[in-house]
Amino acid sequence: MKPTSRTEITRLAKRGHHDTETIYPILDEGLVCHVSYQLDGQPFMIPTAYCRVDDTVYIHGSVGSHFFRELAKGIPVCIAVTHVDGLVMARSAFHHSVNYRSVILFGQTRFVDDADERWLALERITEHLVPGRWNDTRQPNASEMKKTMVLAIKIEEASAKVRTGNVGDDPEDMDLPHWAGVLPISLHYGKPHQDPVQQGRIAVPEYVTGYKR
């Protein structure tokens, strides 16, 4: 994607990326995105589940949600997804940092009323969160579909920013007697707990026991 005035990285530009080969995997690994918009001069932001299908991000929510009713009007939004991979602890406080991968994208919301696209979006959101789950559930009925709003945001502009590597202390600080290094961070998925009110023991699906991103 070509950098624009909204997506060009000016601070530590070497960390910036505008290629879909970097941007899409960061989006695809995330579980939650933050959607921000402005209404009458007041900024709003909400975290929500999502999925990406080609160059479009889909989100869904209740038709009774004030947030979604505003977004359904077709308004510009900014969406952020971030992964924190490590805490970088330097000898100096100034050079402390974070290893991370993040994407900022811009687009305009579109209310999805086509039945096939709505169904696909809900399937893909479910599969984005837990691959293999959609076909292992009772899928939405007509009443549930009526209560659910689906919105699409075509990615018009986007950029990624990535920080990896070790500590970046100044040469004059290298001999200071303070521990320096990186504390890696990763998501940990614990042992699944079956719903206590469920009758009988049901084998835990492999897509749960082997869950990873």
Side-chain angles (χ1 to χ4, degrees), residues 8-83:
E8 184 176 7
I9 307 297
T10 56
R11 171 77 175 121
L12 297 174
K14 64 181 181 180
R15 298 181 185 175
H17 303 266
H18 296 89
D19 57 289
T20 56
E21 291 79 10
T22 301
I23 293 170
Y24 285 173
I26 294 174
L27 293 177
D28 294 345
E29 187 178 340
L31 291 170
V32 171
C33 70
H34 288 78
V35 183
S36 60
Y37 70 101
Q38 182 172 288
L39 176 63
D40 298 330
Q42 170 65 52
F44 293 88
M45 177 183 291
I46 190 168
T48 184
Y50 70 99
C51 73
R52 179 188 67 85
V53 179
D54 299 326
D55 62 351
T56 299
V57 170
Y58 288 96
I59 59 177
H60 77 301
S62 169
V63 296
S65 165
H66 170 74
F67 171 75
F68 269 83
R69 290 200 303 270
E70 289 299 325
L71 291 180
K73 296 176 181 178
I75 61 175
V77 294
C78 178
I79 296 179
V81 173
T82 302
H83 307 281

Side-chain angles (χ1 to χ4, degrees), residues 59-183:
I59 59 177
H60 77 301
S62 169
V63 296
S65 165
H66 170 74
F67 171 75
F68 269 83
R69 290 200 303 270
E70 289 299 325
L71 291 180
K73 296 176 181 178
I75 61 175
V77 294
C78 178
I79 296 179
V81 173
T82 302
H83 307 281
V84 179
D85 298 320
L87 299 178
V88 182
M89 289 169 271
R91 295 159 185 82
S92 66
F94 180 82
H95 284 297
H96 277 61
S97 188
V98 174
N99 281 343
Y100 64 92
R101 292 162 291 141
S102 64
V103 165
I104 297 292
L105 66 89
F106 297 90
Q108 185 151 320
T109 57
R110 173 174 60 87
F111 177 75
V112 179
D113 55 5
D114 177 80
D116 290 338
E117 187 179 7
R118 281 165 47 79
W119 189 264
L120 173 65
L122 296 176
E123 176 183 356
R124 292 292 291 269
I125 290 172
T126 303
E127 287 292 299
H128 174 74
L129 294 172
V130 186
R133 187 61 178 171
W134 180 259
N135 288 327
D136 195 25
T137 62
R138 176 188 66 74
Q139 295 169 6
N141 58 37
S143 175
E144 291 166 339
M145 293 296 290
K146 188 175 181 180
K147 297 173 183 176
T148 304
M149 184 186 301
V150 175
L151 301 174
I153 301 97
K154 183 178 176 63
I155 302 173
E156 298 173 355
E157 304 172 42
S159 63
K161 198 171 183 182
V162 178
R163 201 274 188 196
T164 61
N166 216 315
V167 179
D169 270 314
D170 294 324
E172 60 269 26
D173 291 333
M174 297 304 289
D175 293 329
L176 291 176
H178 309 299
W179 185 89
V182 177
L183 180 63

